Amino acid sequence: MYRAHPPTILALGESLLPQFFEALQTHNLAISFDPFIIPSMWESEGEARGGGREHGIGCLDPDRHDGVESDGFECRNESRRYASSDIPSDLLVKVRGASFHLHKYPLLSRSGRMNRIICESSRDSELIEVELNDIPGGPESFELAAKFCYGFAVDLTASNISGLRSAAEYLEMTEDLEEGNLIFKTEAFLSYVVLSSWRDSIVVLKSCESLSPWAENIQIVRRCSESIAWKACANPRGIRWAYTGRPTRTCSPKWNSGDSKDSSPGKNQPVPPDWWFEDVSILRIDHFVRVVTAIKVKGMRFDLIGAAIMHYASKWLPGLAKEGARGSDDAWNQGGLHLTVAGSANKEDLSSSQIREQRMVIESLISIIPPQKDSVSCCFLLRMLRLANILKVAPALGTELEKRVGMQLEQATLQDLLIPSYNRGETSYDVDLVHRLLEHFLVQEQTEASSPGREPYPEKCGYDANSRPSVPIAKLRVAKLLDSYLTEVSRDRNLSLTKFQVLAEALPDSARTCDDGLYRAVDSYLKAHPTLTEHERKRLCRVMDCQKLSIDACTHAAQNERLPLRVVVQVLFSEQLKISNAIANASLKEAGESHLQPMMCTRRQLLEGTPQSFQEGWATAKKDINTLKFEMESMKAKYLELQSDMDNLQRQFEKMASTKSSKQSLSAWSAGWKKLSKLTKITSAVAHDKGAQIPETGVAETTRKGPRRWRNSIS
């Protein structure tokens, strides 16, 4: 602490006073100005007028008013304060439960508001009562202002300057009433002392939390925010002031406690880029937003701003708690943060005021996150999103947070993606939220499809992946993450088949080079939902491609009784095709190296080099294939037998049809012959009647020619 004699300060003059303060700050001699000697630039004119002002060390010492001699304020009890004077008090000022027994004339000469109030009051009464319950700073600030009016020494510090400056504005202690009034002197202290100190700027801004809107209106918040932003953006190599630094464990800094250890820049100890995080994190959220906004304007790196936001959130949101003793923001990326909502998972455990405060903090932090992709980690965003769903933040900000998560979804982990659903009667996890995140991710991928620097992810999963087009790494990671998520949520009996299918088909087919993870999710869903019909099982299995399964997955699927028979046949066919291709490729490779070795030898060498599990799986699969072949041959023989029986039945039917038609023709012939026989009998009777009249020869001719005519007619 630097203490200077008043004549020394007076000798500097107004022109050298700023350089003097900067020198004190550079040598760490004026970190706390309690007490501080107010410069004499506003006292010289008073001395020229013969005011006879005294300059006490470390205090404001204005003119003492003639006629009222007082040595100070007496506090006779906790709420009553009296001006020590031989003259009885004629003014009673009540400020929020505290009573001040004062005199009218000292306050009339320096306060415009008090002058107006006293003049409007009754002059006949011996004691005037005034209530000033709305004065900023409360009784403490009013007491300092009253002491200034009486001419007592007033100590100005970083903790009381904002309240005293606001009280002076409220009491209208301007230069119009008297030169060197309280507004002028507090403004000078703010400009020359507070704003030139890192620590004092933080303390003053913290003290402005209870002075709204006066601190905003007189620009204390803006000036302190700008001062903090300038110093935070300074080159760490040029920092010469003390700061709190990042603690080992998360705790609030104790500014006025002797236990707090400040970090001072040393010659051999470099200043870290995040040196200002801990000091700024004690501010209220609205002031923190002002500081961060000012820092953005100054051009600080977006990753440092994002790290400061994560550090602030870890201190002010009890729903984001760290495990272990890791104090760095790397814990966000290492999964060291686990969600507990104020020590419990139930929203009912929070009071309405806590819910409102935390909602305001989350909404404010979302609004100031830098727009760059990697400014904050995806783990932090997902935990913020989980807490935002609990506290029901504004829908627009929730959607903005979901878009931010979708921009870097490939960095997420399964544990962070398992966000509970807080709607009763639905699934345990918020599946619809994950589907929206996937949609935002795909939109971001489409916009960045033509951007350079995206390399394929050469991951093979049991088959030749080089024959397929290259897939961005981000899509492959998200597909793997989605398969793990589906496996986890498939155990929920309330998860409908439609939701599972829609989520599984959210990514395009090209995003997966291997469907083993998707097969595990399907199998897990079948285990948890044994009542599915055959049609639903077939519908479920359509989400995976049997040709993208590895050999191990095919072996497991061939023995899986939960899968439909058609899917098992497809898996076996795919497995046989893969093994045949592998054997053929190995044979071609061996043939290229040595043309003398036969094909069977190459196949035997390939099988010997195959792991035992693959060989056993292949033997089982081969046995199943042979069984299926035998069953197919049996079915073919039965089909041929049925075909021959069908042909026999067809021939019999045709024979029966022809027999029926022949019977119909014979019946017609028989009817005709009956008619002819009747005619013949009639003719013979007639001829017998005429036989006596005709000679025998004629009769013989007639009998011979009669049948001939009938045969001709018949033919």
Side-chain angles (χ1 to χ4, degrees), residues 660-675:
K660 186 176 181 180
S661 61
S662 62
K663 286 182 178 180
Q664 291 177 355
S665 60
L666 288 175
S667 62
W669 280 97
S670 60
W673 282 109
K674 287 180 180 179
K675 291 180 180 180

Side-chain angles (χ1 to χ4, degrees), residues 129-333:
E129 294 186 7
V130 179
E131 291 187 1
L132 301 177
N133 293 323
D134 56 346
I135 183 172
E140 295 80 8
S141 298
F142 179 77
E143 183 177 358
L144 294 176
K147 285 183 177 181
F148 179 83
C149 293
Y150 273 88
F152 299 151
V154 178
D155 295 336
L156 296 183
T157 63
S159 57
N160 65 14
I161 185 62
S162 58
L164 187 57
R165 172 66 181 87
S166 301
E169 189 73 20
Y170 175 85
L171 295 173
E172 301 176 7
M173 303 176 70
T174 61
E175 294 295 295
D176 297 336
L177 298 176
E178 184 175 344
E179 293 184 0
N181 211 342
L182 187 57
I183 290 179
F184 176 76
K185 292 190 176 182
T186 51
E187 277 291 332
F189 185 82
L190 282 170
S191 302
Y192 288 104
V193 179
V194 172
L195 298 182
S196 61
S197 170
W198 166 261
R199 176 61 58 83
D200 290 344
S201 299
I202 296 287
V203 173
V204 170
L205 189 56
K206 181 69 177 176
S207 65
C208 291
E209 295 177 359
S210 59
L211 300 174
S212 299
W214 291 93
E216 287 281 353
N217 296 336
I218 59 181
Q219 304 297 322
I220 296 179
V221 175
R222 182 190 62 80
R223 288 184 290 173
C224 289
S225 301
E226 292 287 338
S227 175
I228 294 170
W230 276 113
K231 293 176 176 60
C233 295
N235 190 348
R237 296 180 180 179
I239 293 177
R240 295 295 181 267
W241 52 82
Y243 55 90
T244 303
R246 299 292 297 277
T248 304
R249 294 183 180 179
T250 303
C251 60
S252 299
K254 301 177 181 179
W255 298 99
N256 300 323
S257 175
D259 298 335
S260 61
K261 297 181 180 179
D262 296 338
S263 300
S264 299
K267 295 182 179 179
N268 299 327
Q269 183 180 3
V271 178
D274 57 353
W275 63 270
W276 52 276
F277 287 5
E278 186 64 26
D279 290 341
V280 174
S281 64
I282 72 164
L283 300 175
R284 199 173 62 184
I285 183 60
D286 54 343
H287 295 162
F288 178 78
V289 170
R290 294 286 295 270
V291 171
V292 171
T293 304
I295 289 176
K296 283 183 180 180
V297 175
K298 302 297 184 295
M300 178 170 282
R301 288 160 35 196
F302 65 88
D303 55 338
L304 280 178
I305 297 176
I309 293 173
M310 290 190 292
H311 181 75
Y312 186 89
S314 66
K315 294 188 62 175
W316 285 86
L317 294 176
L320 300 176
K322 293 183 180 180
E323 283 189 356
R326 287 179 295 185
S328 63
D329 289 328
D330 295 338
W332 292 106
N333 300 322

Side-chain angles (χ1 to χ4, degrees), residues 36-69:
F36 180 76
I37 300 174
I38 295 299
S40 61
M41 58 184 179
W42 53 73
E43 304 287 353
S44 58
E45 296 181 2
E47 290 179 351
R49 296 194 306 267
R53 305 190 183 197
E54 296 181 2
H55 297 278
I57 297 178
C59 63
L60 276 177
D61 193 9
D63 290 334
R64 295 183 183 273
H65 288 270
D66 297 333
V68 180
E69 296 181 358

Side-chain angles (χ1 to χ4, degrees), residues 626-644:
N626 293 332
T627 303
L628 290 174
K629 285 183 178 180
F630 178 76
E631 292 178 356
M632 291 179 65
E633 292 293 336
S634 301
M635 293 292 294
K636 186 176 180 181
K638 290 182 180 180
Y639 174 77
L640 293 176
E641 184 178 355
L642 291 174
Q643 185 70 25
S644 62

Side-chain angles (χ1 to χ4, degrees), residues 506-517:
L507 292 177
D509 295 337
S510 59
R512 293 183 178 92
T513 58
C514 180
D515 278 6
D516 284 5

